[in-house]
Amino acid sequence: MEYTESMNDLADALQQPADFNFDLPDPEDEGIPESEFQEQVDIAWQVCDRFDLQTDIWRGRILRAVRDREKIGGDGRGTGFIYWLKEREISKTQAYAWIQLANSADTLLAEGRLEPSSIKNFSKRAFVETAKASPEVQQMVSEAAQKGDKITRREVKNLTEEWTAMTSDLLPEEVKEKAADNSLPPRVIAPLVREMEKLPQVHQAPLQKEIGANPDLDTIKQATTEARNLAKYLKASAQVQALTQEDVNIETALVEAQRLGCLNVAADLVNQASQLEQIIGKLYMTWKKVGNLCDRLYVDTGASTPHLRFLLECIEPLGSQVMTIQIGGPNERTIRLQIQEEE
């Protein structure tokens, strides 16, 4: 009986949707100061954003229930859930984004970091950022929301950067102290931490020594650039066959590039080489496909399809061992590529 009554309540709610009746300022009224106009529309937008957040959390809970029901009574492949989504024109990406949002909300509520009544104080993007933040940042944000503060993505971002700058184990004490007294802005320190997290300890140590000896703004920015280039170099070098096949000493080459002050050039070179190898692989697979399609179409064409046969004759050379193309621009030139397969 209780179940039936609750379903009836939900059905009644559909007949009485939330009453949104904003008194929006007239965009053609030049008597309204620009600052006042922006403030009024911003307030209306925030109301929609927060209502949308609570709606999306419930969408996620509904989708999670449908998915979990399918796991228990379905065919084990989730086809019933996929069919449910298709009927409502919901993509899997969107569905799982809503489910993740619901999971985040339920985790924050279950762990006592957030009161249900506080959710209305978040913008949608702020809530998503809070769910991804560390437990300590979640606690600080939740406390602010429970006091009635309006939480936007910017507030969450600022708190996250402040916490990172003052607590990260990757930062020397000299830098943390300057972050604490605001002589070094957290928004500059946080990107350095994010880049250093991508590096092995052997590459973190020199950067830590450098910023510890000179904990100033220019050194932090320079170290961030260097850490970013290091991460790019290390990631790309592991993907370049030309390096792995010849057993190149990546670390020694890296040290030499740093000594010469050309790490950014070396990192860009290795990254471009990685991209080039990937392009060559894609080119080969496309070339094979063009050749196979040409063979199939040749069988089906003849004197009765002169235009189709002519189309085939024009494209067929692109599937041959030597391909010729023209590159336009101020200096037009002809490029010939030859592909040779080896077992």
Side-chain angles (χ1 to χ4, degrees):
M1 182 67 178
E2 183 179 342
Y3 169 79
T4 304
E5 287 177 356
S6 65
M7 289 299 99
N8 288 337
D9 289 342
L10 287 173
D12 289 342
L14 290 173
Q15 304 301 321
Q16 300 172 0
D19 184 17
F20 281 83
N21 187 21
F22 299 124
D23 186 17
L24 294 176
D26 185 353
E28 297 182 3
D29 187 350
E30 297 181 359
I32 302 176
E34 182 63 21
S35 59
E36 184 180 332
F37 177 86
Q38 293 296 337
E39 182 180 3
Q40 289 185 43
V41 295
D42 188 51
I43 290 171
W45 182 267
Q46 289 180 36
V47 172
C48 293
D49 202 17
R50 290 177 185 120
F51 183 84
D52 187 43
L53 167 62
Q54 295 177 73
T55 300
D56 283 354
I57 289 172
W58 275 106
R59 285 182 189 274
R61 287 168 174 161
I62 294 166
L63 288 164
R64 187 175 61 199
V66 174
R67 183 200 62 187
D68 292 350
R69 180 77 168 186
E70 168 70 12
K71 287 180 180 178
I72 296 171
D75 59 8
R77 295 178 298 173
T79 53
F81 179 57
I82 300 302
Y83 180 75
W84 198 91
L85 296 179
K86 284 183 177 178
E87 277 202 320
R88 290 155 182 80
E89 299 181 347
I90 303 170
S91 69
K92 282 181 67 177
T93 302
Q94 180 63 76
Y96 278 99
W98 279 331
I99 290 174
Q100 182 58 51
L101 187 64
N103 289 342
S104 299
D106 292 344
T107 299
L108 290 173
L109 293 168
E111 293 176 353
R113 296 198 186 104
L114 188 66
E115 294 295 329
S117 58
S118 300
I119 292 178
K120 67 179 183 296
N121 293 325
F122 286 82
S123 71
K124 183 177 178 181
R125 296 179 70 186
F127 189 85
V128 173
E129 290 298 318
T130 302
K132 294 190 294 186
S134 66
E136 295 81 5
V137 172
Q138 289 178 351
Q139 186 65 42
M140 290 188 288
V141 172
S142 298
E143 288 173 359
Q146 282 158 204
K147 288 191 298 183
D149 295 350
K150 302 303 181 184
I151 308 299
T152 66
R153 184 169 176 261
R154 181 177 294 278
E155 276 80 42
V156 179
K157 183 173 182 289
N158 289 343
L159 281 173
T160 301
E161 289 175 345
E162 289 173 12
W163 179 258
T164 300
M166 291 187 288
T167 63
S168 174
D169 293 336
L170 295 176
L171 297 173
E173 288 302 321
E174 296 87 346
V175 175
K176 293 181 183 180
E177 290 171 4
K178 286 185 173 287
D181 64 20
N182 287 320
S183 54
L184 274 177
R187 61 181 175 78
V188 176
I189 300 174
L192 171 61
V193 175
R194 287 195 293 269
E195 295 301 332
M196 289 180 66
E197 287 173 344
K198 303 173 187 176
L199 301 175
Q201 198 279 330
V202 67
H203 293 302
Q204 292 172 352
L207 292 171
Q208 291 168 332
K209 183 178 179 180
E210 183 181 349
I211 60 177
N214 300 290
D216 56 57
L217 195 60
D218 289 340
T219 304
I220 295 293
K221 289 182 176 179
Q222 178 60 37
T224 303
T225 301
E226 189 171 347
R228 186 178 296 113
N229 286 331
L230 276 167
K232 284 170 56 180
Y233 176 95
L234 293 171
K235 180 181 178 181
S237 61
Q239 300 172 340
V240 179
Q241 291 183 29
L243 298 178
T244 56
Q245 289 176 350
E246 296 297 328
D247 197 24
V248 176
N249 191 321
I250 301 298
E251 292 296 328
T252 304
L254 173 60
V255 170
E256 292 174 352
Q258 288 177 300
R259 176 164 53 82
L260 295 175
C262 59
L263 175 60
N264 60 330
V265 178
D268 195 28
L269 172 62
V270 174
N271 188 49
Q272 293 296 327
S274 174
Q275 291 185 41
L276 180 58
E277 285 188 344
Q278 293 175 39
I279 291 170
I280 291 172
K282 290 179 181 178
L283 171 64
Y284 171 74
M285 297 305 296
T286 304
W287 173 76
K288 289 283 289 184
K289 192 167 186 178
V290 168
N292 291 336
L293 292 172
C294 285
D295 290 343
R296 287 171 54 187
L297 193 57
Y298 182 82
V299 173
D300 296 331
T301 57
S304 63
T305 56
H307 297 288
L308 186 57
R309 175 57 69 94
F310 184 58
L311 178 148
L312 174 61
E313 290 174 357
C314 293
I315 294 179
E316 199 169 21
L318 293 175
S320 62
Q321 282 197 325
V322 179
M323 296 172 284
T324 303
I325 60 171
Q326 289 187 330
I327 297 179
N331 302 313
E332 185 172 322
R333 60 191 67 189
T334 299
I335 306 295
R336 287 188 177 86
L337 299 175
Q338 183 176 6
I339 295 182
Q340 293 181 329
E341 296 181 272
E342 294 182 6
E343 293 294 336

PDB file of all heavy atoms in Angstrom, residues 59 63 81-92 94-95 98:
ATOM      1  N   ARG A  59      18.308  11.576 -11.685  1.00  0.00           N
ATOM      2  CA  ARG A  59      18.388  10.808 -12.944  1.00  0.00           C
ATOM      3  C   ARG A  59      19.420   9.689 -12.786  1.00  0.00           C
ATOM      4  O   ARG A  59      19.206   8.557 -13.220  1.00  0.00           O
ATOM      5  CB  ARG A  59      18.800  11.726 -14.096  1.00  0.00           C
ATOM      6  CG  ARG A  59      17.719  12.661 -14.591  1.00  0.00           C
ATOM      7  CD  ARG A  59      18.253  13.483 -15.762  1.00  0.00           C
ATOM      8  NE  ARG A  59      17.368  14.545 -16.155  1.00  0.00           N
ATOM      9  CZ  ARG A  59      16.350  14.401 -17.002  1.00  0.00           C
ATOM     10  NH1 ARG A  59      16.102  13.221 -17.519  1.00  0.00           N
ATOM     11  NH2 ARG A  59      15.594  15.435 -17.326  1.00  0.00           N
ATOM     12  N   LEU A  63      18.797   5.690 -13.180  1.00  0.00           N
ATOM     13  CA  LEU A  63      19.555   4.892 -14.148  1.00  0.00           C
ATOM     14  C   LEU A  63      20.332   3.780 -13.452  1.00  0.00           C
ATOM     15  O   LEU A  63      20.430   2.659 -13.962  1.00  0.00           O
ATOM     16  CB  LEU A  63      20.508   5.787 -14.933  1.00  0.00           C
ATOM     17  CG  LEU A  63      19.843   6.717 -15.946  1.00  0.00           C
ATOM     18  CD1 LEU A  63      20.809   7.809 -16.385  1.00  0.00           C
ATOM     19  CD2 LEU A  63      19.372   5.929 -17.159  1.00  0.00           C
ATOM     20  N   PHE A  81      19.338  -2.770 -20.310  1.00  0.00           N
ATOM     21  CA  PHE A  81      19.677  -1.402 -19.904  1.00  0.00           C
ATOM     22  C   PHE A  81      19.928  -0.537 -21.137  1.00  0.00           C
ATOM     23  O   PHE A  81      19.452   0.606 -21.214  1.00  0.00           O
ATOM     24  CB  PHE A  81      20.904  -1.439 -18.996  1.00  0.00           C
ATOM     25  CG  PHE A  81      21.376  -0.083 -18.532  1.00  0.00           C
ATOM     26  CD1 PHE A  81      20.526   0.770 -17.845  1.00  0.00           C
ATOM     27  CD2 PHE A  81      22.674   0.334 -18.781  1.00  0.00           C
ATOM     28  CE1 PHE A  81      20.958   2.026 -17.409  1.00  0.00           C
ATOM     29  CE2 PHE A  81      23.117   1.582 -18.353  1.00  0.00           C
ATOM     30  CZ  PHE A  81      22.257   2.429 -17.670  1.00  0.00           C
ATOM     31  N   ILE A  82      20.673  -1.066 -22.100  1.00  0.00           N
ATOM     32  CA  ILE A  82      20.957  -0.322 -23.334  1.00  0.00           C
ATOM     33  C   ILE A  82      19.661  -0.018 -24.079  1.00  0.00           C
ATOM     34  O   ILE A  82      19.474   1.092 -24.603  1.00  0.00           O
ATOM     35  CB  ILE A  82      21.916  -1.120 -24.244  1.00  0.00           C
ATOM     36  CG1 ILE A  82      23.243  -1.393 -23.529  1.00  0.00           C
ATOM     37  CG2 ILE A  82      22.164  -0.381 -25.554  1.00  0.00           C
ATOM     38  CD1 ILE A  82      23.971  -0.154 -23.078  1.00  0.00           C
ATOM     39  N   TYR A  83      18.756  -0.994 -24.130  1.00  0.00           N
ATOM     40  CA  TYR A  83      17.470  -0.781 -24.804  1.00  0.00           C
ATOM     41  C   TYR A  83      16.685   0.319 -24.094  1.00  0.00           C
ATOM     42  O   TYR A  83      16.058   1.162 -24.733  1.00  0.00           O
ATOM     43  CB  TYR A  83      16.670  -2.089 -24.821  1.00  0.00           C
ATOM     44  CG  TYR A  83      15.324  -1.973 -25.496  1.00  0.00           C
ATOM     45  CD1 TYR A  83      15.236  -1.895 -26.888  1.00  0.00           C
ATOM     46  CD2 TYR A  83      14.137  -1.928 -24.752  1.00  0.00           C
ATOM     47  CE1 TYR A  83      13.997  -1.780 -27.518  1.00  0.00           C
ATOM     48  CE2 TYR A  83      12.902  -1.815 -25.369  1.00  0.00           C
ATOM     49  CZ  TYR A  83      12.850  -1.741 -26.749  1.00  0.00           C
ATOM     50  OH  TYR A  83      11.624  -1.616 -27.363  1.00  0.00           O
ATOM     51  N   TRP A  84      16.725   0.316 -22.756  1.00  0.00           N
ATOM     52  CA  TRP A  84      16.029   1.331 -21.957  1.00  0.00           C
ATOM     53  C   TRP A  84      16.557   2.721 -22.306  1.00  0.00           C
ATOM     54  O   TRP A  84      15.792   3.684 -22.449  1.00  0.00           O
ATOM     55  CB  TRP A  84      16.244   1.017 -20.470  1.00  0.00           C
ATOM     56  CG  TRP A  84      15.285   1.681 -19.525  1.00  0.00           C
ATOM     57  CD1 TRP A  84      14.101   1.182 -19.070  1.00  0.00           C
ATOM     58  CD2 TRP A  84      15.429   2.970 -18.914  1.00  0.00           C
ATOM     59  NE1 TRP A  84      13.493   2.066 -18.208  1.00  0.00           N
ATOM     60  CE2 TRP A  84      14.290   3.180 -18.089  1.00  0.00           C
ATOM     61  CE3 TRP A  84      16.393   3.963 -18.974  1.00  0.00           C
ATOM     62  CZ2 TRP A  84      14.103   4.332 -17.347  1.00  0.00           C
ATOM     63  CZ3 TRP A  84      16.208   5.118 -18.231  1.00  0.00           C
ATOM     64  CH2 TRP A  84      15.083   5.296 -17.426  1.00  0.00           C
ATOM     65  N   LEU A  85      17.867   2.827 -22.461  1.00  0.00           N
ATOM     66  CA  LEU A  85      18.478   4.112 -22.823  1.00  0.00           C
ATOM     67  C   LEU A  85      18.064   4.540 -24.226  1.00  0.00           C
ATOM     68  O   LEU A  85      17.751   5.715 -24.462  1.00  0.00           O
ATOM     69  CB  LEU A  85      20.007   4.014 -22.751  1.00  0.00           C
ATOM     70  CG  LEU A  85      20.630   3.749 -21.369  1.00  0.00           C
ATOM     71  CD1 LEU A  85      22.143   3.666 -21.495  1.00  0.00           C
ATOM     72  CD2 LEU A  85      20.241   4.833 -20.374  1.00  0.00           C
ATOM     73  N   LYS A  86      18.079   3.598 -25.157  1.00  0.00           N
ATOM     74  CA  LYS A  86      17.735   3.929 -26.554  1.00  0.00           C
ATOM     75  C   LYS A  86      16.307   4.441 -26.660  1.00  0.00           C
ATOM     76  O   LYS A  86      16.022   5.374 -27.421  1.00  0.00           O
ATOM     77  CB  LYS A  86      17.923   2.706 -27.444  1.00  0.00           C
ATOM     78  CG  LYS A  86      19.373   2.393 -27.765  1.00  0.00           C
ATOM     79  CD  LYS A  86      19.490   1.215 -28.718  1.00  0.00           C
ATOM     80  CE  LYS A  86      20.947   0.957 -29.078  1.00  0.00           C
ATOM     81  NZ  LYS A  86      21.093  -0.218 -29.971  1.00  0.00           N
ATOM     82  N   GLU A  87      15.404   3.815 -25.915  1.00  0.00           N
ATOM     83  CA  GLU A  87      14.003   4.248 -25.954  1.00  0.00           C
ATOM     84  C   GLU A  87      13.838   5.692 -25.509  1.00  0.00           C
ATOM     85  O   GLU A  87      12.941   6.394 -25.960  1.00  0.00           O
ATOM     86  CB  GLU A  87      13.148   3.336 -25.064  1.00  0.00           C
ATOM     87  CG  GLU A  87      12.708   2.050 -25.730  1.00  0.00           C
ATOM     88  CD  GLU A  87      11.478   1.479 -25.053  1.00  0.00           C
ATOM     89  OE1 GLU A  87      11.434   1.535 -23.800  1.00  0.00           O
ATOM     90  OE2 GLU A  87      10.567   1.015 -25.749  1.00  0.00           O
ATOM     91  N   ARG A  88      14.722   6.132 -24.625  1.00  0.00           N
ATOM     92  CA  ARG A  88      14.641   7.497 -24.090  1.00  0.00           C
ATOM     93  C   ARG A  88      15.690   8.423 -24.710  1.00  0.00           C
ATOM     94  O   ARG A  88      15.887   9.541 -24.235  1.00  0.00           O
ATOM     95  CB  ARG A  88      14.792   7.447 -22.561  1.00  0.00           C
ATOM     96  CG  ARG A  88      13.575   6.825 -21.906  1.00  0.00           C
ATOM     97  CD  ARG A  88      13.883   6.215 -20.556  1.00  0.00           C
ATOM     98  NE  ARG A  88      12.678   5.591 -19.986  1.00  0.00           N
ATOM     99  CZ  ARG A  88      12.246   4.383 -20.345  1.00  0.00           C
ATOM    100  NH1 ARG A  88      12.910   3.673 -21.244  1.00  0.00           N
ATOM    101  NH2 ARG A  88      11.152   3.883 -19.804  1.00  0.00           N
ATOM    102  N   GLU A  89      16.349   7.928 -25.751  1.00  0.00           N
ATOM    103  CA  GLU A  89      17.344   8.718 -26.500  1.00  0.00           C
ATOM    104  C   GLU A  89      18.429   9.276 -25.575  1.00  0.00           C
ATOM    105  O   GLU A  89      18.778  10.456 -25.618  1.00  0.00           O
ATOM    106  CB  GLU A  89      16.669   9.849 -27.285  1.00  0.00           C
ATOM    107  CG  GLU A  89      15.677   9.341 -28.323  1.00  0.00           C
ATOM    108  CD  GLU A  89      15.024  10.465 -29.107  1.00  0.00           C
ATOM    109  OE1 GLU A  89      15.148  11.632 -28.687  1.00  0.00           O
ATOM    110  OE2 GLU A  89      14.407  10.182 -30.148  1.00  0.00           O
ATOM    111  N   ILE A  90      18.969   8.404 -24.720  1.00  0.00           N
ATOM    112  CA  ILE A  90      20.043   8.761 -23.796  1.00  0.00           C
ATOM    113  C   ILE A  90      21.294   7.992 -24.211  1.00  0.00           C
ATOM    114  O   ILE A  90      21.248   6.768 -24.368  1.00  0.00           O
ATOM    115  CB  ILE A  90      19.685   8.399 -22.340  1.00  0.00           C
ATOM    116  CG1 ILE A  90      18.381   9.081 -21.921  1.00  0.00           C
ATOM    117  CG2 ILE A  90      20.820   8.762 -21.385  1.00  0.00           C
ATOM    118  CD1 ILE A  90      17.841   8.592 -20.582  1.00  0.00           C
ATOM    119  N   SER A  91      22.400   8.678 -24.379  1.00  0.00           N
ATOM    120  CA  SER A  91      23.640   7.999 -24.742  1.00  0.00           C
ATOM    121  C   SER A  91      24.228   7.313 -23.508  1.00  0.00           C
ATOM    122  O   SER A  91      23.975   7.709 -22.372  1.00  0.00           O
ATOM    123  CB  SER A  91      24.659   8.993 -25.304  1.00  0.00           C
ATOM    124  OG  SER A  91      25.134   9.866 -24.285  1.00  0.00           O
ATOM    125  N   LYS A  92      25.059   6.292 -23.754  1.00  0.00           N
ATOM    126  CA  LYS A  92      25.704   5.602 -22.630  1.00  0.00           C
ATOM    127  C   LYS A  92      26.621   6.561 -21.869  1.00  0.00           C
ATOM    128  O   LYS A  92      26.712   6.501 -20.635  1.00  0.00           O
ATOM    129  CB  LYS A  92      26.521   4.410 -23.154  1.00  0.00           C
ATOM    130  CG  LYS A  92      25.693   3.191 -23.501  1.00  0.00           C
ATOM    131  CD  LYS A  92      26.566   2.054 -23.986  1.00  0.00           C
ATOM    132  CE  LYS A  92      27.457   1.517 -22.879  1.00  0.00           C
ATOM    133  NZ  LYS A  92      28.262   0.350 -23.325  1.00  0.00           N
ATOM    134  N   GLN A  94      26.280   9.819 -21.457  1.00  0.00           N
ATOM    135  CA  GLN A  94      25.468  10.675 -20.595  1.00  0.00           C
ATOM    136  C   GLN A  94      24.916   9.885 -19.409  1.00  0.00           C
ATOM    137  O   GLN A  94      24.902  10.366 -18.275  1.00  0.00           O
ATOM    138  CB  GLN A  94      24.315  11.279 -21.400  1.00  0.00           C
ATOM    139  CG  GLN A  94      23.396  12.185 -20.589  1.00  0.00           C
ATOM    140  CD  GLN A  94      24.099  13.401 -20.045  1.00  0.00           C
ATOM    141  OE1 GLN A  94      24.370  14.334 -20.777  1.00  0.00           O
ATOM    142  NE2 GLN A  94      24.419  13.395 -18.761  1.00  0.00           N
ATOM    143  N   ALA A  95      24.469   8.663 -19.674  1.00  0.00           N
ATOM    144  CA  ALA A  95      23.889   7.841 -18.605  1.00  0.00           C
ATOM    145  C   ALA A  95      24.906   7.593 -17.492  1.00  0.00           C
ATOM    146  O   ALA A  95      24.596   7.755 -16.304  1.00  0.00           O
ATOM    147  CB  ALA A  95      23.404   6.510 -19.179  1.00  0.00           C
ATOM    148  N   TRP A  98      25.643  10.652 -15.369  1.00  0.00           N
ATOM    149  CA  TRP A  98      24.606  10.855 -14.341  1.00  0.00           C
ATOM    150  C   TRP A  98      24.778   9.864 -13.199  1.00  0.00           C
ATOM    151  O   TRP A  98      24.632  10.212 -12.028  1.00  0.00           O
ATOM    152  CB  TRP A  98      23.214  10.723 -14.958  1.00  0.00           C
ATOM    153  CG  TRP A  98      22.745  11.952 -15.669  1.00  0.00           C
ATOM    154  CD1 TRP A  98      23.091  13.244 -15.387  1.00  0.00           C
ATOM    155  CD2 TRP A  98      21.845  12.015 -16.778  1.00  0.00           C
ATOM    156  NE1 TRP A  98      22.458  14.104 -16.254  1.00  0.00           N
ATOM    157  CE2 TRP A  98      21.682  13.390 -17.120  1.00  0.00           C
ATOM    158  CE3 TRP A  98      21.151  11.067 -17.528  1.00  0.00           C
ATOM    159  CZ2 TRP A  98      20.869  13.815 -18.159  1.00  0.00           C
ATOM    160  CZ3 TRP A  98      20.328  11.484 -18.570  1.00  0.00           C
ATOM    161  CH2 TRP A  98      20.194  12.845 -18.878  1.00  0.00           C
TER     162      TRP A  98
END
